[in-house]
Amino acid sequence: MQTSSPPIRRAMVLAAGLGKRMRPITDTMPKPLVAIAGKTMLDHALDRLAGAGVADAVVNVHYLAEQIEARVAGRTSPRITVSDERDVLLETGGGVKKALPLLGAEPFFHINSDSLWSERGASNLSAMAAAWDAARMDMLLLLAERESSVGFDGAGDFFRDEAGRLARRGQAASAPYVYAGVAIIKPELFADTPEGPFSLNLLFDRCIASGTLFGHLLDGRWLHVGTPEAIPLAEQAYAAHQGG
C-alpha cells in the first residue's frame, strides 16, 4: 500500500544548457527562452510547477545567464532562486548537487526547462506528486510513449514493469518509453556523488540497481523540441492536444 507523502513543494529547473542543436536561434538567446505557442519554454515549465503547488524553484544559469535572470526576476509563483553556474557547466546531476542547500531535505521536482508536453486534463505534475511513494521510491520519472511523442526519433529509454519499476533499454532495438525530462528525487541520493559535472544518469543506474527507480506515464503528448525545425511541429501538436 502506498504511504502518504507530503506535497512536493520545491523544484530544480535546469536552464543552463548551451542549446547547440537549436542554433542559429541560440546564438543570441538561451534555449529555455525560445517561445512555443506564445510562451517561453521556461515559463511553460514554471507555470506547470506553480499549477502543481510548487512554492519555490531553483533555476540554474550558465549560457547567456543574464537573459534567464531577467526573465525570472520578480516572479512569485513559484518564487525563484538562481543557482549560478557561470564558471563551469555542472550538467544535470552536478547542477543539483550545487543547489542542494537551496532545495532542502525533502524530495523535489527536477525538470528540464525545455520539457514540453500537452495535457489532456489534470496536471501531470500533480499526478506525479500523488503517485510518489517515498517508502518504495528513490526517484520517479515522467515517461512519454515513444511512438506518440512529437519530434522524437530515438529508440526509447526504458522498460516499465507492472509495479512501475524501470529498466534500461540496454541492447534491445527499442523501448516503449522515453524520459520526458521531469523527475521527483530524494536529495540524499546526492550524498555519494562526484564533485563537479556529472549526469543524472549516474543516479538512474544506482536506483535501477536498488529497485527504486520508478516511472509515471504522461497523460498527454510529449513534444521534443530539439532543433529549429521542431518548433512548428511542437506548436501544431500543442494547439491540437493541450490544455493549460
Side-chain angles (χ1 to χ4, degrees):
M1 177 182 293
Q2 179 172 321
T3 58
S4 177
S5 295
I8 309 298
R9 301 288 292 168
R10 290 183 173 167
M12 177 78 193
V13 182
L14 302 185
L18 301 177
K20 292 181 179 179
R21 294 182 62 221
M22 192 62 81
R23 288 175 176 166
I25 295 172
T26 50
D27 287 339
T28 56
M29 174 191 296
K31 185 180 177 185
L33 298 189
V34 173
I36 302 294
K39 185 191 294 187
T40 72
M41 288 194 279
L42 176 59
D43 284 312
H44 279 292
L46 291 171
D47 288 349
R48 291 268 165 85
L49 289 168
V54 171
D56 295 279
V58 178
V59 178
N60 69 348
V61 297
H62 173 79
Y63 178 62
L64 300 176
E66 295 80 3
Q67 293 186 38
I68 301 286
E69 289 174 323
R71 186 68 195 178
V72 301
R75 184 166 183 136
T76 59
S77 181
R79 292 180 293 268
I80 305 296
T81 304
V82 170
S83 180
D84 193 332
E85 295 180 23
R86 282 176 175 86
D87 290 341
V88 58
L89 187 59
L90 292 170
E91 299 184 29
T92 52
V96 177
K97 186 168 185 174
K98 176 182 172 67
L100 282 178
L102 303 171
L103 290 165
E106 299 300 322
F108 57 88
F109 278 111
H110 177 284
I111 181 167
N112 297 337
S113 59
D114 59 357
S115 293
L116 185 65
W117 61 90
S118 63
E119 307 232 86
R120 291 199 175 98
S123 160
N124 277 277
L125 299 188
S126 295
M128 278 186 78
W132 172 253
D133 182 355
R136 295 188 303 146
M137 302 172 183
D138 285 334
M139 195 181 308
L140 178 64
L141 308 186
L142 183 65
L143 299 181
E145 293 182 347
R146 176 180 58 84
E147 291 189 352
S148 67
S149 296
V150 175
F152 180 78
D153 58 3
D157 300 318
F158 294 106
F159 294 96
R160 181 177 182 269
D161 70 14
E162 291 183 358
R165 285 187 176 87
L166 301 185
R168 292 273 196 188
R169 174 171 57 87
Q171 298 302 310
S174 64
Y177 300 112
V178 180
Y179 174 50
V182 184
I184 297 174
I185 305 175
K186 289 181 178 176
E188 52 264 39
L189 289 177
F190 292 86
D192 182 25
T193 52
E195 296 301 321
F198 69 92
S199 170
L200 205 63
N201 279 296
L202 172 67
L203 299 186
F204 289 176
D205 290 334
R206 288 181 178 180
C207 290
I208 288 172
S210 62
T212 58
L213 184 69
F214 284 74
H216 178 82
L217 301 185
L218 173 71
D219 183 16
R221 294 186 78 185
W222 185 51
L223 313 175
H224 182 247
V225 188
T227 64
E229 293 75 24
I231 293 173
L233 295 174
E235 291 189 321
Q236 292 167 16
Y238 196 83
H241 297 97
Q242 89 96 38

